[in-house]
Amino acid sequence: MASDSPSAPRQAAAERIGAVLDALEKRLDRLEPGVSPGLVIEALAEPVRALGAAVREGVR
């Protein structure tokens, strides 16, 4: 019978994704209303890349 709890690697991947989402949220919170799109892109580029990497790792 399959276990209801996630496997350790999946749990670790979920925790990494959660941490990256937290970092992304913090970056968004630091942005002032009306900031230019270029600054938004600059502020979010690294966290978005990290999120993509964490998700890819999680689906392996």
Side-chain angles (χ1 to χ4, degrees):
M1 181 190 317
S3 172
D4 290 337
S5 64
S7 67
R10 291 215 184 261
Q11 182 64 33
E15 289 171 4
R16 280 191 300 277
I17 291 168
V20 171
L21 288 172
D22 287 343
L24 185 60
E25 184 177 13
K26 287 178 185 176
R27 293 273 180 108
L28 284 169
D29 286 344
R30 285 189 224 141
L31 295 173
E32 296 292 326
V35 69
S36 73
L39 288 176
V40 173
I41 291 168
E42 184 180 319
L44 301 182
E46 190 276 322
V48 168
R49 280 192 293 271
L51 178 60
V55 169
R56 282 189 300 277
E57 182 66 30
V59 296
R60 285 188 184 167

